[in-house]
Amino acid sequence: MNLEQDATTTAGERTRTEEPSARRTALHRALRAVSRPEPWKRGPALTALALLLGLVMLLHAEIPNGVWHLGSLVENLLPWLGLFVPLLLVAALWRRSAAAVVALLLPVAAWLNLFGGLLTDKSRPGGDLTVAEQNVDADNPDPGGTARRLAASGADLLALVELTPQSVGAYETGLAAAYPYHVVRGTVGLWSRLPLGDAQPIDVMDYGPLADTRAADGRTAENRALRTTVATDRGPLTVYVAHLGSVRILPSSGFWTASRDIGVQALGRAVAADASERTLLLGDLNGSLDDRAFAALTARMRSAQDAAGDGFGFSYPASFPVVRIDQILVRGVTATSSRVLPDTGSDHLPVAAGIRW
């Protein structure tokens, strides 16, 4: 019996001794394999692609807009460039290219530097007001249903864009019980639980040097932005609601943003001249805030999603969101939370944020 126990003990000790020895052997083999020149010579194209991907992320602001507005296009797609990392990693492992694997550290570090902060929940409890915004879709077949779903969101302020003369009545009826105050200017409106005043349109379509030379009857009749004041128990809150011009990808000119960029300039000038202590901007800006075109706004206001969100907060298209073009920006108040609300029947998802004085 003792002999059997001794034999078992000896075998166990031998196994425990062999395990670290086997690991060391495997590690030595791996090191020898990597130290040979062949793995570093394989996959030069993959290595170049990995380095290029990292440089695009790091130096996206330096990509010129002169040809096809390429810089702005890349910046709107920046988060998705990270998808190329696992694809290149699989290819590098298949080619057994040590150089390509090491080169991938550059795009990984660049992506984490840009977007790593969005991967954690930065929301905090509390807040004085909840605000929400949605592009309700001019072709929405059920505006009444959308209104009921938005009323159930619990938002104190609700900004709607892409209203039509045919749909405004349905929103006024569907939101009347929850929001006793509202203002509509053209295709944008704000519904509120608190009193509103001093509402005025903001021209974001006919702006810039050419606008002064255009005949009055040739100007865009459709109003797409407004400014109003909300009376709160903590003092006045200035709110801008905006729907900037659409962008297009055209074979002849690439990423076309002329109409949107005119609106950004107009909004940026209005916000810069506004002496209000507390300001919100709610709207469909038709672009990611990574796009350099929004510098005039992001230099003065902060994204609620960046400050207090969880994740990227993609809002468009509603069926499979890939970009956040619906924005809530704050100045003089603090965002305590930011989230995307459930589908209401529009082609955009609504976005909401909590704010605190």
Side-chain angles (χ1 to χ4, degrees), residues 251-318:
S252 58
S253 55
F255 190 45
W256 183 83
T257 65
S259 176
R260 184 206 63 185
D261 292 350
I262 287 172
V264 175
Q265 294 173 37
L267 273 181
R269 181 173 179 178
V271 170
D274 198 319
S276 301
E277 184 179 352
R278 294 175 288 268
T279 307
L280 299 180
L281 170 57
L282 313 171
D284 173 6
L285 303 188
N286 268 310
S288 162
L289 294 182
D290 294 314
D291 189 333
R292 68 193 69 180
F294 294 100
L297 291 175
T298 56
R300 297 179 175 87
M301 308 187 78
R302 188 171 187 193
S303 161
Q305 183 67 21
D306 288 348
D310 181 9
F312 292 94
F314 294 147
S315 63
Y316 180 83

Short mmCIF file of all heavy atoms in Angstrom, two decimals, residues 251-318:
data_model
loop_
_atom_site.label_atom_id
_atom_site.label_comp_id
_atom_site.label_asym_id
_atom_site.label_seq_id
_atom_site.Cartn_x
_atom_site.Cartn_y
_atom_site.Cartn_z
N PRO A 251 -21.22 60.53 -57.14
CA PRO A 251 -20.10 60.04 -57.96
C PRO A 251 -19.22 61.16 -58.49
O PRO A 251 -18.02 61.01 -58.62
CB PRO A 251 -20.80 59.28 -59.10
CG PRO A 251 -22.15 58.95 -58.56
CD PRO A 251 -22.53 60.07 -57.63
N SER A 252 -19.82 62.30 -58.77
CA SER A 252 -19.07 63.39 -59.40
C SER A 252 -18.27 64.22 -58.40
O SER A 252 -17.18 64.71 -58.71
CB SER A 252 -20.02 64.31 -60.16
OG SER A 252 -21.00 64.84 -59.28
N SER A 253 -18.81 64.39 -57.19
CA SER A 253 -18.16 65.30 -56.23
C SER A 253 -17.85 64.67 -54.89
O SER A 253 -17.40 65.35 -53.98
CB SER A 253 -19.05 66.54 -56.01
OG SER A 253 -20.35 66.14 -55.61
N GLY A 254 -18.10 63.38 -54.73
CA GLY A 254 -17.78 62.72 -53.48
C GLY A 254 -18.77 63.06 -52.37
O GLY A 254 -19.98 63.06 -52.59
N PHE A 255 -18.25 63.40 -51.19
CA PHE A 255 -19.07 63.67 -50.01
C PHE A 255 -19.53 65.12 -50.06
O PHE A 255 -18.79 66.05 -49.73
CB PHE A 255 -18.26 63.38 -48.76
CG PHE A 255 -19.05 63.38 -47.48
CD1 PHE A 255 -20.26 62.73 -47.38
CD2 PHE A 255 -18.55 64.02 -46.35
CE1 PHE A 255 -20.99 62.72 -46.20
CE2 PHE A 255 -19.25 64.01 -45.16
CZ PHE A 255 -20.47 63.36 -45.08
N TRP A 256 -20.80 65.33 -50.47
CA TRP A 256 -21.33 66.68 -50.65
C TRP A 256 -21.96 67.15 -49.35
O TRP A 256 -22.90 66.54 -48.85
CB TRP A 256 -22.36 66.68 -51.77
CG TRP A 256 -22.92 68.05 -52.07
CD1 TRP A 256 -22.36 69.01 -52.86
CD2 TRP A 256 -24.14 68.60 -51.57
NE1 TRP A 256 -23.17 70.14 -52.88
CE2 TRP A 256 -24.25 69.91 -52.10
CE3 TRP A 256 -25.14 68.11 -50.72
CZ2 TRP A 256 -25.34 70.73 -51.81
CZ3 TRP A 256 -26.22 68.93 -50.42
CH2 TRP A 256 -26.32 70.22 -50.98
N THR A 257 -21.43 68.25 -48.79
CA THR A 257 -21.90 68.76 -47.50
C THR A 257 -22.19 70.25 -47.52
O THR A 257 -22.33 70.87 -46.46
CB THR A 257 -20.84 68.48 -46.40
OG1 THR A 257 -19.65 69.24 -46.71
CG2 THR A 257 -20.48 67.01 -46.31
N ALA A 258 -22.27 70.83 -48.68
CA ALA A 258 -22.36 72.29 -48.79
C ALA A 258 -23.53 72.87 -48.00
O ALA A 258 -23.36 73.84 -47.23
CB ALA A 258 -22.46 72.70 -50.25
N SER A 259 -24.71 72.29 -48.15
CA SER A 259 -25.89 72.82 -47.47
C SER A 259 -25.74 72.69 -45.95
O SER A 259 -26.05 73.63 -45.21
CB SER A 259 -27.14 72.07 -47.95
OG SER A 259 -28.29 72.49 -47.25
N ARG A 260 -25.26 71.55 -45.50
CA ARG A 260 -25.08 71.35 -44.06
C ARG A 260 -24.06 72.32 -43.49
O ARG A 260 -24.24 72.90 -42.42
CB ARG A 260 -24.65 69.92 -43.78
CG ARG A 260 -24.53 69.60 -42.29
CD ARG A 260 -23.56 68.48 -42.02
NE ARG A 260 -22.19 68.80 -42.43
CZ ARG A 260 -21.20 67.93 -42.38
NH1 ARG A 260 -21.42 66.69 -42.01
NH2 ARG A 260 -19.97 68.30 -42.74
N ASP A 261 -22.96 72.48 -44.19
CA ASP A 261 -21.88 73.33 -43.68
C ASP A 261 -22.30 74.79 -43.58
O ASP A 261 -21.85 75.51 -42.69
CB ASP A 261 -20.65 73.18 -44.56
CG ASP A 261 -20.03 71.79 -44.45
OD1 ASP A 261 -20.45 71.02 -43.56
OD2 ASP A 261 -19.14 71.46 -45.26
N ILE A 262 -23.17 75.23 -44.49
CA ILE A 262 -23.72 76.59 -44.38
C ILE A 262 -24.50 76.72 -43.08
O ILE A 262 -24.39 77.71 -42.35
CB ILE A 262 -24.62 76.90 -45.59
CG1 ILE A 262 -23.78 77.12 -46.85
CG2 ILE A 262 -25.49 78.12 -45.32
CD1 ILE A 262 -24.59 77.24 -48.11
N GLY A 263 -25.29 75.69 -42.75
CA GLY A 263 -26.06 75.71 -41.51
C GLY A 263 -25.18 75.70 -40.27
O GLY A 263 -25.47 76.37 -39.27
N VAL A 264 -24.06 74.95 -40.31
CA VAL A 264 -23.13 74.93 -39.19
C VAL A 264 -22.57 76.33 -38.95
O VAL A 264 -22.46 76.80 -37.81
CB VAL A 264 -21.99 73.93 -39.43
CG1 VAL A 264 -20.97 74.02 -38.31
CG2 VAL A 264 -22.53 72.51 -39.52
N GLN A 265 -22.21 77.02 -40.03
CA GLN A 265 -21.68 78.38 -39.89
C GLN A 265 -22.71 79.31 -39.26
O GLN A 265 -22.39 80.11 -38.37
CB GLN A 265 -21.28 78.91 -41.27
CG GLN A 265 -20.11 78.18 -41.91
CD GLN A 265 -19.88 78.65 -43.33
OE1 GLN A 265 -20.03 79.85 -43.64
NE2 GLN A 265 -19.53 77.74 -44.21
N ALA A 266 -23.96 79.19 -39.71
CA ALA A 266 -25.01 80.06 -39.18
C ALA A 266 -25.26 79.77 -37.70
O ALA A 266 -25.38 80.69 -36.88
CB ALA A 266 -26.30 79.86 -39.98
N LEU A 267 -25.34 78.50 -37.34
CA LEU A 267 -25.56 78.14 -35.93
C LEU A 267 -24.37 78.55 -35.08
O LEU A 267 -24.53 79.06 -33.96
CB LEU A 267 -25.78 76.63 -35.80
CG LEU A 267 -27.19 76.10 -35.96
CD1 LEU A 267 -27.20 74.59 -35.77
CD2 LEU A 267 -28.14 76.75 -34.96
N GLY A 268 -23.16 78.30 -35.59
CA GLY A 268 -21.97 78.67 -34.84
C GLY A 268 -21.92 80.15 -34.56
O GLY A 268 -21.58 80.58 -33.45
N ARG A 269 -22.30 80.96 -35.55
CA ARG A 269 -22.30 82.42 -35.36
C ARG A 269 -23.37 82.82 -34.35
O ARG A 269 -23.12 83.68 -33.48
CB ARG A 269 -22.55 83.10 -36.69
CG ARG A 269 -22.54 84.62 -36.61
CD ARG A 269 -22.63 85.24 -37.98
NE ARG A 269 -22.66 86.70 -37.90
CZ ARG A 269 -22.70 87.50 -38.95
NH1 ARG A 269 -22.72 87.00 -40.18
NH2 ARG A 269 -22.72 88.81 -38.80
N ALA A 270 -24.55 82.20 -34.42
CA ALA A 270 -25.63 82.53 -33.49
C ALA A 270 -25.25 82.17 -32.06
O ALA A 270 -25.48 82.95 -31.13
CB ALA A 270 -26.91 81.81 -33.91
N VAL A 271 -24.67 80.99 -31.87
CA VAL A 271 -24.29 80.55 -30.52
C VAL A 271 -23.16 81.43 -29.97
O VAL A 271 -23.14 81.79 -28.79
CB VAL A 271 -23.88 79.07 -30.54
CG1 VAL A 271 -23.24 78.66 -29.22
CG2 VAL A 271 -25.09 78.18 -30.83
N ALA A 272 -22.21 81.79 -30.84
CA ALA A 272 -21.09 82.61 -30.40
C ALA A 272 -21.56 83.99 -29.94
O ALA A 272 -21.00 84.58 -29.01
CB ALA A 272 -20.07 82.74 -31.53
N ALA A 273 -22.59 84.51 -30.60
CA ALA A 273 -23.09 85.85 -30.27
C ALA A 273 -24.09 85.83 -29.13
O ALA A 273 -24.48 86.89 -28.62
CB ALA A 273 -23.74 86.48 -31.51
N ASP A 274 -24.52 84.65 -28.71
CA ASP A 274 -25.55 84.51 -27.68
C ASP A 274 -24.91 84.65 -26.30
O ASP A 274 -24.02 83.89 -25.93
CB ASP A 274 -26.23 83.15 -27.82
CG ASP A 274 -27.57 83.10 -27.10
OD1 ASP A 274 -27.66 83.64 -25.99
OD2 ASP A 274 -28.51 82.51 -27.66
N ALA A 275 -25.39 85.62 -25.53
CA ALA A 275 -24.84 85.86 -24.19
C ALA A 275 -25.53 85.05 -23.11
O ALA A 275 -25.25 85.24 -21.92
CB ALA A 275 -24.93 87.35 -23.87
N SER A 276 -26.41 84.15 -23.48
CA SER A 276 -27.14 83.35 -22.49
C SER A 276 -26.18 82.54 -21.63
O SER A 276 -25.20 81.98 -22.13
CB SER A 276 -28.11 82.40 -23.19
OG SER A 276 -29.03 83.11 -23.99
N GLU A 277 -26.50 82.48 -20.34
CA GLU A 277 -25.63 81.75 -19.41
C GLU A 277 -25.76 80.25 -19.60
O GLU A 277 -24.78 79.51 -19.46
CB GLU A 277 -26.00 82.13 -17.98
CG GLU A 277 -25.11 81.52 -16.93
CD GLU A 277 -25.49 81.95 -15.53
OE1 GLU A 277 -26.35 82.84 -15.39
OE2 GLU A 277 -24.93 81.38 -14.56
N ARG A 278 -26.98 79.77 -19.93
CA ARG A 278 -27.22 78.33 -20.09
C ARG A 278 -27.88 78.10 -21.45
O ARG A 278 -28.93 78.69 -21.75
CB ARG A 278 -28.10 77.80 -18.96
CG ARG A 278 -27.41 77.86 -17.60
CD ARG A 278 -28.36 77.45 -16.48
NE ARG A 278 -29.37 78.49 -16.23
CZ ARG A 278 -29.22 79.46 -15.35
NH1 ARG A 278 -28.11 79.55 -14.64
NH2 ARG A 278 -30.18 80.36 -15.17
N THR A 279 -27.29 77.21 -22.25
CA THR A 279 -27.76 77.02 -23.62
C THR A 279 -27.76 75.54 -23.98
O THR A 279 -26.84 74.80 -23.63
CB THR A 279 -26.84 77.77 -24.62
OG1 THR A 279 -26.74 79.13 -24.23
CG2 THR A 279 -27.37 77.69 -26.03
N LEU A 280 -28.79 75.13 -24.72
CA LEU A 280 -28.87 73.78 -25.29
C LEU A 280 -29.02 73.90 -26.80
O LEU A 280 -29.66 74.83 -27.29
CB LEU A 280 -30.08 73.01 -24.75
CG LEU A 280 -30.19 72.72 -23.26
CD1 LEU A 280 -31.47 71.94 -22.99
CD2 LEU A 280 -28.98 71.95 -22.78
N LEU A 281 -28.48 72.93 -27.51
CA LEU A 281 -28.72 72.78 -28.94
C LEU A 281 -29.20 71.36 -29.18
O LEU A 281 -28.50 70.40 -28.85
CB LEU A 281 -27.45 73.06 -29.74
CG LEU A 281 -27.49 72.69 -31.24
CD1 LEU A 281 -28.62 73.41 -31.96
CD2 LEU A 281 -26.16 73.02 -31.90
N LEU A 282 -30.41 71.23 -29.71
CA LEU A 282 -31.01 69.93 -29.98
C LEU A 282 -31.31 69.85 -31.46
O LEU A 282 -31.93 70.76 -32.02
CB LEU A 282 -32.32 69.76 -29.19
CG LEU A 282 -32.30 70.12 -27.71
CD1 LEU A 282 -33.72 70.11 -27.14
CD2 LEU A 282 -31.45 69.14 -26.94
N GLY A 283 -30.89 68.77 -32.12
CA GLY A 283 -31.26 68.69 -33.52
C GLY A 283 -30.58 67.59 -34.29
O GLY A 283 -29.67 66.91 -33.81
N ASP A 284 -31.06 67.43 -35.50
CA ASP A 284 -30.45 66.55 -36.49
C ASP A 284 -29.45 67.40 -37.26
O ASP A 284 -29.83 68.23 -38.09
CB ASP A 284 -31.54 65.99 -37.41
CG ASP A 284 -30.97 65.20 -38.59
OD1 ASP A 284 -29.74 64.98 -38.62
OD2 ASP A 284 -31.76 64.80 -39.46
N LEU A 285 -28.16 67.19 -36.96
CA LEU A 285 -27.12 68.01 -37.57
C LEU A 285 -26.53 67.35 -38.81
O LEU A 285 -25.61 67.90 -39.43
CB LEU A 285 -26.02 68.30 -36.56
CG LEU A 285 -26.47 68.99 -35.26
CD1 LEU A 285 -25.26 69.40 -34.43
CD2 LEU A 285 -27.38 70.17 -35.53
N ASN A 286 -27.03 66.18 -39.17
CA ASN A 286 -26.58 65.48 -40.37
C ASN A 286 -25.06 65.31 -40.42
O ASN A 286 -24.42 65.54 -41.46
CB ASN A 286 -27.09 66.19 -41.63
CG ASN A 286 -28.42 65.62 -42.09
OD1 ASN A 286 -28.57 64.42 -42.23
ND2 ASN A 286 -29.39 66.49 -42.28
N GLY A 287 -24.51 64.88 -39.30
CA GLY A 287 -23.09 64.59 -39.27
C GLY A 287 -22.64 64.20 -37.88
O GLY A 287 -23.24 64.58 -36.87
N SER A 288 -21.58 63.42 -37.83
CA SER A 288 -20.93 63.08 -36.57
C SER A 288 -20.14 64.28 -36.08
O SER A 288 -19.55 65.02 -36.87
CB SER A 288 -20.00 61.88 -36.77
OG SER A 288 -19.07 61.78 -35.73
N LEU A 289 -20.07 64.47 -34.77
CA LEU A 289 -19.32 65.59 -34.23
C LEU A 289 -17.82 65.40 -34.36
O LEU A 289 -17.05 66.31 -34.05
CB LEU A 289 -19.70 65.82 -32.76
CG LEU A 289 -21.16 66.28 -32.54
CD1 LEU A 289 -21.41 66.52 -31.06
CD2 LEU A 289 -21.47 67.54 -33.35
N ASP A 290 -17.38 64.23 -34.82
CA ASP A 290 -15.96 64.05 -35.16
C ASP A 290 -15.61 64.81 -36.43
O ASP A 290 -14.43 65.09 -36.68
CB ASP A 290 -15.64 62.57 -35.37
CG ASP A 290 -15.77 61.77 -34.09
OD1 ASP A 290 -15.26 62.24 -33.06
OD2 ASP A 290 -16.39 60.68 -34.11
N ASP A 291 -16.61 65.15 -37.23
CA ASP A 291 -16.41 65.88 -38.47
C ASP A 291 -15.89 67.28 -38.16
O ASP A 291 -16.50 68.03 -37.39
CB ASP A 291 -17.74 65.94 -39.23
CG ASP A 291 -17.60 66.47 -40.65
OD1 ASP A 291 -16.67 67.24 -40.92
OD2 ASP A 291 -18.46 66.13 -41.48
N ARG A 292 -14.80 67.66 -38.78
CA ARG A 292 -14.18 68.97 -38.55
C ARG A 292 -15.12 70.13 -38.84
O ARG A 292 -14.92 71.24 -38.34
CB ARG A 292 -12.94 69.11 -39.42
CG ARG A 292 -13.24 69.18 -40.92
CD ARG A 292 -12.03 69.00 -41.78
NE ARG A 292 -11.52 67.63 -41.70
CZ ARG A 292 -10.46 67.21 -42.37
NH1 ARG A 292 -9.81 68.02 -43.16
NH2 ARG A 292 -10.06 65.97 -42.25
N ALA A 293 -16.16 69.89 -39.65
CA ALA A 293 -17.08 70.95 -40.01
C ALA A 293 -17.79 71.53 -38.79
O ALA A 293 -18.24 72.67 -38.82
CB ALA A 293 -18.11 70.44 -41.01
N PHE A 294 -17.88 70.76 -37.70
CA PHE A 294 -18.62 71.20 -36.53
C PHE A 294 -17.75 71.91 -35.50
O PHE A 294 -18.19 72.15 -34.37
CB PHE A 294 -19.33 70.01 -35.88
CG PHE A 294 -20.41 69.42 -36.74
CD1 PHE A 294 -20.17 68.27 -37.48
CD2 PHE A 294 -21.65 70.03 -36.84
CE1 PHE A 294 -21.16 67.74 -38.29
CE2 PHE A 294 -22.64 69.51 -37.65
CZ PHE A 294 -22.40 68.36 -38.38
N ALA A 295 -16.53 72.25 -35.86
CA ALA A 295 -15.61 72.87 -34.91
C ALA A 295 -16.17 74.16 -34.33
O ALA A 295 -15.94 74.47 -33.15
CB ALA A 295 -14.27 73.13 -35.58
N ALA A 296 -16.93 74.93 -35.12
CA ALA A 296 -17.49 76.18 -34.62
C ALA A 296 -18.48 75.94 -33.48
O ALA A 296 -18.67 76.81 -32.63
CB ALA A 296 -18.18 76.93 -35.76
N LEU A 297 -19.11 74.77 -33.47
CA LEU A 297 -20.05 74.44 -32.39
C LEU A 297 -19.36 73.72 -31.24
O LEU A 297 -19.57 74.04 -30.07
CB LEU A 297 -21.18 73.56 -32.94
CG LEU A 297 -22.16 74.25 -33.89
CD1 LEU A 297 -23.14 73.22 -34.46
CD2 LEU A 297 -22.93 75.35 -33.16
N THR A 298 -18.54 72.73 -31.57
CA THR A 298 -17.91 71.94 -30.51
C THR A 298 -16.87 72.74 -29.73
O THR A 298 -16.51 72.36 -28.61
CB THR A 298 -17.26 70.67 -31.09
OG1 THR A 298 -16.33 71.04 -32.12
CG2 THR A 298 -18.32 69.76 -31.68
N ALA A 299 -16.40 73.84 -30.29
CA ALA A 299 -15.48 74.70 -29.54
C ALA A 299 -16.18 75.45 -28.42
O ALA A 299 -15.54 75.87 -27.45
CB ALA A 299 -14.82 75.71 -30.49
N ARG A 300 -17.52 75.59 -28.53
CA ARG A 300 -18.28 76.35 -27.54
C ARG A 300 -19.27 75.51 -26.75
O ARG A 300 -19.77 75.95 -25.71
CB ARG A 300 -19.04 77.49 -28.24
CG ARG A 300 -18.14 78.50 -28.90
CD ARG A 300 -18.93 79.59 -29.60
NE ARG A 300 -18.04 80.61 -30.13
CZ ARG A 300 -17.47 80.55 -31.32
NH1 ARG A 300 -17.71 79.51 -32.12
NH2 ARG A 300 -16.67 81.51 -31.73
N MET A 301 -19.59 74.32 -27.24
CA MET A 301 -20.58 73.48 -26.58
C MET A 301 -20.05 72.05 -26.49
O MET A 301 -19.20 71.65 -27.28
CB MET A 301 -21.91 73.50 -27.35
CG MET A 301 -22.45 74.88 -27.64
SD MET A 301 -24.12 74.86 -28.36
CE MET A 301 -25.11 74.55 -26.89
N ARG A 302 -20.57 71.30 -25.53
CA ARG A 302 -20.11 69.93 -25.34
C ARG A 302 -21.23 68.95 -25.64
O ARG A 302 -22.39 69.18 -25.28
CB ARG A 302 -19.61 69.72 -23.91
CG ARG A 302 -18.93 68.36 -23.75
CD ARG A 302 -18.25 68.19 -22.44
NE ARG A 302 -17.50 66.93 -22.44
CZ ARG A 302 -17.00 66.37 -21.36
NH1 ARG A 302 -17.15 66.94 -20.18
NH2 ARG A 302 -16.35 65.22 -21.44
N SER A 303 -20.87 67.84 -26.25
CA SER A 303 -21.82 66.79 -26.54
C SER A 303 -22.25 66.08 -25.26
O SER A 303 -21.40 65.65 -24.47
CB SER A 303 -21.21 65.77 -27.51
OG SER A 303 -21.91 64.55 -27.48
N ALA A 304 -23.56 65.96 -25.05
CA ALA A 304 -24.05 65.24 -23.88
C ALA A 304 -23.64 63.77 -23.92
O ALA A 304 -23.34 63.16 -22.89
CB ALA A 304 -25.58 65.35 -23.80
N GLN A 305 -23.58 63.20 -25.13
CA GLN A 305 -23.19 61.80 -25.26
C GLN A 305 -21.74 61.60 -24.86
O GLN A 305 -21.39 60.64 -24.17
CB GLN A 305 -23.41 61.33 -26.70
CG GLN A 305 -23.10 59.86 -26.95
CD GLN A 305 -24.04 58.92 -26.24
OE1 GLN A 305 -25.16 59.30 -25.87
NE2 GLN A 305 -23.63 57.68 -26.03
N ASP A 306 -20.86 62.50 -25.27
CA ASP A 306 -19.46 62.39 -24.90
C ASP A 306 -19.27 62.57 -23.40
O ASP A 306 -18.43 61.92 -22.78
CB ASP A 306 -18.62 63.43 -25.64
CG ASP A 306 -18.46 63.11 -27.12
OD1 ASP A 306 -18.80 61.98 -27.52
OD2 ASP A 306 -18.01 63.98 -27.87
N ALA A 307 -20.05 63.48 -22.81
CA ALA A 307 -19.87 63.81 -21.40
C ALA A 307 -20.50 62.79 -20.47
O ALA A 307 -19.95 62.52 -19.40
CB ALA A 307 -20.45 65.20 -21.12
N ALA A 308 -21.65 62.22 -20.86
CA ALA A 308 -22.40 61.42 -19.89
C ALA A 308 -23.09 60.21 -20.52
O ALA A 308 -24.02 59.67 -19.93
CB ALA A 308 -23.44 62.30 -19.20
N GLY A 309 -22.64 59.77 -21.69
CA GLY A 309 -23.29 58.65 -22.35
C GLY A 309 -22.63 57.32 -22.07
O GLY A 309 -21.65 57.22 -21.33
N ASP A 310 -23.17 56.30 -22.68
CA ASP A 310 -22.64 54.95 -22.59
C ASP A 310 -22.62 54.38 -24.01
O ASP A 310 -23.65 54.03 -24.56
CB ASP A 310 -23.52 54.08 -21.68
CG ASP A 310 -23.00 52.66 -21.53
OD1 ASP A 310 -21.86 52.39 -21.98
OD2 ASP A 310 -23.70 51.80 -20.97
N GLY A 311 -21.43 54.32 -24.61
CA GLY A 311 -21.33 53.85 -25.98
C GLY A 311 -21.39 55.01 -26.96
O GLY A 311 -21.28 56.19 -26.61
N PHE A 312 -21.59 54.67 -28.23
CA PHE A 312 -21.54 55.66 -29.29
C PHE A 312 -22.86 56.41 -29.46
O PHE A 312 -22.89 57.49 -30.02
CB PHE A 312 -21.17 54.99 -30.61
CG PHE A 312 -19.75 54.48 -30.64
CD1 PHE A 312 -19.46 53.16 -30.31
CD2 PHE A 312 -18.71 55.32 -30.96
CE1 PHE A 312 -18.16 52.69 -30.32
CE2 PHE A 312 -17.40 54.86 -30.98
CZ PHE A 312 -17.12 53.54 -30.65
N GLY A 313 -23.96 55.83 -29.05
CA GLY A 313 -25.25 56.51 -29.18
C GLY A 313 -25.70 56.70 -30.60
O GLY A 313 -26.32 57.71 -30.93
N PHE A 314 -25.41 55.73 -31.47
CA PHE A 314 -25.82 55.86 -32.87
C PHE A 314 -27.34 56.01 -32.97
O PHE A 314 -28.09 55.31 -32.30
CB PHE A 314 -25.37 54.63 -33.66
CG PHE A 314 -23.87 54.48 -33.79
CD1 PHE A 314 -23.29 53.23 -33.85
CD2 PHE A 314 -23.05 55.59 -33.86
CE1 PHE A 314 -21.91 53.08 -33.97
CE2 PHE A 314 -21.68 55.47 -33.99
CZ PHE A 314 -21.10 54.20 -34.05
N SER A 315 -27.78 56.88 -33.88
CA SER A 315 -29.21 57.17 -33.99
C SER A 315 -29.79 56.98 -35.38
O SER A 315 -31.02 57.05 -35.55
CB SER A 315 -29.48 58.62 -33.55
OG SER A 315 -28.82 59.54 -34.43
N TYR A 316 -28.94 56.76 -36.39
CA TYR A 316 -29.46 56.67 -37.76
C TYR A 316 -28.69 55.63 -38.55
O TYR A 316 -27.46 55.51 -38.40
CB TYR A 316 -29.32 58.04 -38.44
CG TYR A 316 -29.84 58.05 -39.86
CD1 TYR A 316 -31.19 58.21 -40.11
CD2 TYR A 316 -28.97 57.88 -40.93
CE1 TYR A 316 -31.67 58.20 -41.43
CE2 TYR A 316 -29.43 57.87 -42.23
CZ TYR A 316 -30.78 58.03 -42.47
OH TYR A 316 -31.25 58.01 -43.76
N PRO A 317 -29.42 54.87 -39.42
CA PRO A 317 -30.88 54.79 -39.54
C PRO A 317 -31.47 53.94 -38.42
O PRO A 317 -30.76 53.12 -37.82
CB PRO A 317 -31.08 54.11 -40.90
CG PRO A 317 -29.84 53.28 -41.08
CD PRO A 317 -28.73 54.03 -40.42
N ALA A 318 -32.73 54.13 -38.13
CA ALA A 318 -33.35 53.46 -36.99
C ALA A 318 -33.30 51.95 -37.11
O ALA A 318 -33.18 51.24 -36.11
CB ALA A 318 -34.81 53.93 -36.85
#
